Amino acid sequence: MKRIVILISGRGSNMQAIVRRCAEQQWPAQVVAVIANRPDAQGLDFARSHGIAAAVVDHRAQPSREAFDAQLAQVVDRFAPDLLLLAGFMRILGPDFVRRYQGRMLNIHPSLLPAFPGLHTHRRALQAGCKLVGATVHFVTPELDHGPIVMQSAVPVLAGDDEHTLADRVLATEHVIYPLAVRWYVEGRLQQHDGLVRQLDGASQVLM
Ligand code: GAR
C-alpha cells in the first residue's frame, strides 16, 4: 500500500477527487493525511469526515519561508508518504523542501505548462487570445510550475468565456487527469527519463 499525503490551501476539490477515485478503483494506495497551510481550508472538513488525518501548518505562524518549509516537512514526514501531492496548495516551496520529496511529489497547475506558470492563468490566457487552455500534472522541481509533465488536458476557449467559466471547465478536467496520474504513479506505471515522463502501457497522456 502506497501512502499518499495531500497538501491543500482551500476547497480541495482535486484532493476529494483523488480520495474518491482511490477508494472506488481500489488503488494499491491510501490517502493517509491532508495537510493545509490555512486553518480555514474547507477541504479539511472533507478529510476529517472521511476518517483521514487532517493537519494544519499555518504559514502565518512561522517567522520565515524556511521555517514554514521545515515545519511542514516535519509534519509531512510523520505520515511517511510514498507520494506527496500538491492540490491547490498556494505556497511556494523552497528548494530544500522540494529536493527532499523530488521524484515522489506531483502538482496540478491550471494551464498548459510551460505556458502561464504562476497565478491568474485563465485571465492571462484570455488576454493572450489563447484558443486552447487546460491543466497539467507534473513532477515538482525547484523551479515554480515546471518539472516533467505526466498528463495534460486541453479545453477549447468558447465565445463569451470569462476566467470563471474557463476555470470551471478546466477544473472538471483536473478531476479526471490528476486521479489518473496518481493512479499510474502508485501502480508503478510511470517512467521518468531525461525530464520526460512515459506511461508504460502506452496510455494517452492527454485528455482532449
Ligand atoms: C485548481 O484549479 C488547481 O489547479 C489550482 O488551484 C485550484 C485548486 O482547486 N492550483 C494552482 O493554481 C497551483 N499553482 P481545489 O482546491 O478545488 O483543488
Side-chain angles (χ1 to χ4, degrees):
M1 272 297 190
K2 294 270 191 296
R3 298 170 63 82
I4 301 173
V5 170
I6 307 183
L7 305 187
I8 63 167
S9 292
R11 179 177 55 185
S13 69
N14 277 293
M15 173 271 294
Q16 295 181 31
I18 289 161
V19 168
R20 293 208 167 95
R21 224 58 55 78
C22 178
E24 285 162 12
Q25 299 177 338
Q26 302 185 322
W27 300 351
Q30 195 186 353
V31 177
V32 293
V34 172
I35 303 172
N37 65 307
R38 311 177 59 97
D40 59 352
Q42 302 110 279
L44 290 169
D45 290 335
F46 174 91
R48 290 187 192 107
S49 67
H50 284 72
I52 298 168
V56 175
V57 180
D58 191 341
H59 63 275
R60 289 163 305 188
Q62 299 296 328
S64 66
R65 280 190 182 279
E66 292 72 26
F68 170 73
D69 284 5
Q71 181 62 30
L72 183 62
Q74 225 179 68
V75 176
V76 167
D77 285 350
R78 246 181 250 157
F79 297 101
D82 298 294
L83 178 61
L84 182 60
L85 301 177
L86 309 184
F89 185 70
M90 304 307 279
R91 298 292 298 172
I92 293 175
L93 295 162
D96 289 348
F97 185 96
V98 171
R99 279 193 206 102
R100 188 180 187 90
Y101 303 103
Q102 202 159 333
R104 52 186 177 118
M105 174 158 53
L106 296 173
N107 179 42
I108 188 152
H109 183 75
S111 80
L112 290 172
L113 291 174
F116 308 117
L119 297 174
H120 309 302
T121 53
H122 303 302
R123 189 189 308 169
R124 287 156 61 210
L126 284 170
Q127 282 166 355
C130 292
K131 307 302 177 220
L132 200 60
V133 296
T136 304
V137 179
H138 65 98
F139 281 94
V140 177
T141 56
E143 194 177 347
L144 179 69
D145 297 329
H146 271 260
I149 291 172
V150 178
M151 185 157 189
Q152 291 187 307
S153 60
V155 173
V157 177
L158 305 178
D161 260 333
D162 59 29
E163 62 179 302
H164 304 293
T165 58
L166 217 44
D168 286 348
R169 288 211 311 287
V170 171
L171 186 67
T173 71
E174 294 181 37
H175 296 163
V176 178
I177 66 171
Y178 208 3
L180 187 53
V182 174
R183 182 181 187 175
W184 286 340
Y185 184 95
V186 298
E187 293 184 346
R189 288 150 73 189
L190 294 177
Q191 188 182 63
Q192 267 199 74
H193 183 65
D194 267 353
L196 301 179
V197 182
R198 198 161 72 87
Q199 207 286 346
L200 292 174
D201 313 310
S204 175
Q205 288 169 255
V206 60
L207 174 73
M208 302 289 285

